[in-house]
């Protein structure tokens, strides 16, 4: 696991586009859009992020930020992915475990995220100890 630095964003954006323009998301990201999103996340107060590199290529990435609450800092995972060629071999679980240990070393014990319901992404997080929080609901509105 390697902690993300600003000079890595361009390389990470290429991986982001490759992954999220494929199944199960089928998005339409451009490299410029991805670079802007990842730079915005990087510039967020209490940013933390890590990357796993294998054979000189990005295997997995996790990024997010902490937010102060009354009971400590809560960490929101904003982006987490495994390169499509590396999925299913434990790379993502290893990065998630290593990153969780890294956050614990910074006294950050509460983690949360938003993911696709009923897809393999939800299964992945459940397998790694995450649960659906029955006290929360996610609401959205598109304004035109």
């Amino acid at each position: 696991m390697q902690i993300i630095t600003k000079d890595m964003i361009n390389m990470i954006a290429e991986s982001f586009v490759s992954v999220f323009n494929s199944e199960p998301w089928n998005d339409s990201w451009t490299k410029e859009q991805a670079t802007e999103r990842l730079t915005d996340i990087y510039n967020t107060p209490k940013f933390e992020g890590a990357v796993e590199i294998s054979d000189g290529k990005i295997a997995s990435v996790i990024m997010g930020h902490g937010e102060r609450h009354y009971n400590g800092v809560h960490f929101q995972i904003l982006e987490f992915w495994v390169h499509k060629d590396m999925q299913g071999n434990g790379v993502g679980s290893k990065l998630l475990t290593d990153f969780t240990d890294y956050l614990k070393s910074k006294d950050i014990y509460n983690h949360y995220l938003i993911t696709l319901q009923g897809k393999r992404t939800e299964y992945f997080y459940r397998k790694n100890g995450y649960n659906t929080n029955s006290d929360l609901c996610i609401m959205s509105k598109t304004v035109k």
Side-chain angles (χ1 to χ4, degrees), residues 63-139:
M63 302 173 76
H65 65 90
E67 298 175 314
R68 169 53 65 187
H69 286 260
Y70 71 93
N71 62 347
V73 174
H74 293 199
F75 189 83
Q76 181 179 9
I77 298 171
L78 293 171
E79 293 296 350
F80 178 62
W81 70 89
V82 177
H83 190 277
K84 56 189 172 191
D85 296 338
M86 304 293 283
Q87 292 175 4
N89 67 10
V91 169
S93 292
K94 181 178 182 333
L95 180 60
L96 190 57
T97 298
D98 291 348
F99 191 69
T100 297
D101 290 342
Y102 170 76
L103 291 176
K104 279 196 259 182
S105 76
K106 294 180 160 267
D107 295 325
I108 301 172
Y109 304 103
N110 298 298
H111 311 155
Y112 66 100
L113 59 94
I114 299 170
T115 194
L116 295 174
Q117 191 175 46
K119 303 280 186 186
R120 66 183 187 208
T121 54
E122 182 181 10
Y123 169 77
F124 170 81
Y125 290 111
R126 286 189 185 282
K127 178 180 79 168
N128 283 281
Y130 286 76
N131 299 300
T132 301
N133 186 321
S134 60
D135 293 334
L136 301 175
C137 82
I138 298 191
M139 302 175 75

